[in-house]
Amino acid sequence: MTSLSKILLGGRLEPGVVADAERAGFVKVDDPWHQYTAFFLRLVAATVVATAGIAADSATAVIGAMLLAPLMSPMLGAALAAALGRPAKTLQTLALTLVGMAVVVAVSACVTAIVPVAIDLSTNSQVLARISPRLVDLIIALAAGFMAALASIRRDIPGTAPGIALSASIVPPLCVTGAALFEGAPDAALGSFLLFVTNYVAIQIAGTAVYLAAGLGARKFSVVEGKARELWYISVGIAAAVVVALLATTSMGIVHENEQLRIAQDEVGAWIEGSDYRVSRFELEDGELRLEIAGSERVPSAERLNKALLDAGLHLDELSIAVVDEQRIVNTP
């Protein structure tokens, strides 16, 4: 036993802990009716709660759904089965994850169709938080996956489970995917699905690192088992490289959008400074800036604002300014 494994395990691996982890991760299915029915009933319930919470823009409901959702179990099971050199079980847990994903997307689309509250994908905070994943989301998922894997092979840290469920964004992004597909918003669906894939890949990386460091992959494998495990790790590595590239692109896009927003706000503020006008509406989206200003004096020059924006490096496709004549009556005693 290495020093690293002693640190991870807090000593030696406890008897029976691997068997418990296998059963929890569906690597070992010895009571399929109980294991699978519990999994899918929890998954459907979590999906309904999460989708309804998203529709209502309720963070509390979404958090409750994250605590209910069991989808991390087979995701960790795949990492455990790969570390143990069991390719058939790795594919079995992957298949269960794929079926679970399909169930979540389908149920969320159905819930979106019947809930009385329409989901506004452009303003809903629960949607917006999940359709533009960034590199920081990968970091969060790696940490959550690390603790989830560690908790599965240490009986003395079960209290981390709720925190892990909240940290790893698994079911809510799939719910957003289903809702977005129903609403006809493929870009939002792709963004939220990328967040789920990010979490899946991160859990495979972190879980594999923990299980191998703990010594679970120390036994000798057959040629077939060894090659299958190498192939799985190579596939995860390629997926990780693709995810990082996509997240880097998304992150840079968010940084660019924030910089454009800052420039626009600064220039608009300078434009109306000293006048009687105030900004009553400000929207910057897809290269279009839509303003509404209210006041009663001479209207500031739109051409001057456009030139100031261009000089500041913000090239707009369209600048739209609506002017509201604001009448003010001041009553004095």
Side-chain angles (χ1 to χ4, degrees):
M1 174 174 282
T2 65
S3 298
L4 179 58
S5 64
K6 287 182 179 179
I7 293 172
L8 287 174
L9 296 172
R12 293 190 175 276
L13 189 64
E14 296 181 52
V17 73
V18 175
D20 292 343
E22 288 183 71
R23 194 174 191 280
F26 294 92
V27 177
K28 180 180 180 181
V29 181
D30 52 9
D31 192 352
W33 274 107
H34 277 87
Q35 288 174 261
Y36 287 130
T37 54
F39 175 80
F40 284 108
L41 287 173
R42 288 177 60 197
L43 189 62
V44 170
T47 302
V48 172
V49 173
T51 307
I54 290 168
D57 202 355
S58 170
T60 302
V62 174
I63 289 171
M66 292 165 77
L67 293 172
L68 281 174
L71 199 53
M72 182 181 278
S73 296
M75 294 165 68
L76 269 180
L80 177 60
L84 294 173
R86 299 179 186 175
K89 294 298 183 181
T90 303
L91 294 178
Q92 179 180 307
T93 52
L94 174 61
L96 180 58
T97 301
L98 293 174
V99 172
M101 290 165 54
V103 168
V104 173
V105 172
V107 171
S108 61
C110 292
V111 173
T112 303
I114 62 176
V115 292
V117 181
I119 300 179
D120 189 343
L121 300 178
S122 63
T123 60
N124 189 297
S125 64
Q126 297 304 312
V127 172
L128 295 176
R130 293 175 173 87
I131 60 175
S132 297
R134 303 154 296 169
L135 284 170
V136 68
D137 293 304
L138 178 61
I139 295 172
I140 294 170
L142 285 169
F146 171 82
M147 284 310 305
L150 193 59
S152 70
I153 55 174
R154 285 188 60 162
R155 293 196 174 104
D156 58 336
I157 51 173
T160 60
I164 293 167
L166 294 178
S167 299
S169 193
I170 297 173
V171 166
L174 290 176
C175 293
V176 173
T177 299
L181 289 175
F182 177 81
E183 298 288 352
D187 290 342
L190 283 173
S192 57
F193 186 70
L194 175 58
L195 179 57
F196 172 81
V197 173
T198 297
N199 278 269
Y200 185 87
V201 171
I203 288 169
Q204 294 309 308
I205 294 171
T208 296
V210 169
Y211 294 139
L212 292 181
L216 299 188
R219 76 175 182 86
K220 292 184 178 180
F221 304 108
S222 67
V223 174
V224 173
E225 289 174 337
K227 288 184 176 179
R229 189 170 78 159
E230 289 178 6
L231 180 60
W232 177 259
Y233 291 159
I234 290 171
S235 300
V236 171
I238 293 173
V242 173
V243 165
V244 168
L246 292 173
L247 293 179
T249 302
T250 304
S251 297
M252 291 303 296
I254 293 173
V255 170
H256 179 65
E257 288 176 5
N258 289 338
E259 178 63 15
Q260 286 190 318
L261 180 61
R262 183 193 64 78
I263 291 173
Q265 289 174 335
D266 289 347
E267 295 302 327
V268 169
W271 174 61
I272 63 171
E273 187 176 0
S275 73
D276 186 54
Y277 282 87
R278 59 180 177 83
V279 178
S280 55
R281 185 168 70 97
F282 182 103
E283 294 180 5
L284 178 60
E285 185 178 21
D286 299 329
E288 296 182 6
L289 176 59
R290 292 177 288 275
L291 297 174
E292 181 179 274
I293 59 174
S296 58
E297 295 181 350
R298 182 178 178 181
V299 180
S301 170
E303 288 76 13
R304 182 165 64 86
L305 174 60
N306 188 53
K307 184 178 184 305
L309 292 170
L310 289 171
D311 292 342
L314 181 55
H315 299 270
L316 298 172
D317 296 328
E318 180 180 327
L319 172 61
S320 173
I321 303 175
V323 180
V324 176
D325 186 16
E326 190 173 59
Q327 301 295 322
R328 298 179 182 177
I329 299 177
V330 179
N331 294 317
T332 57

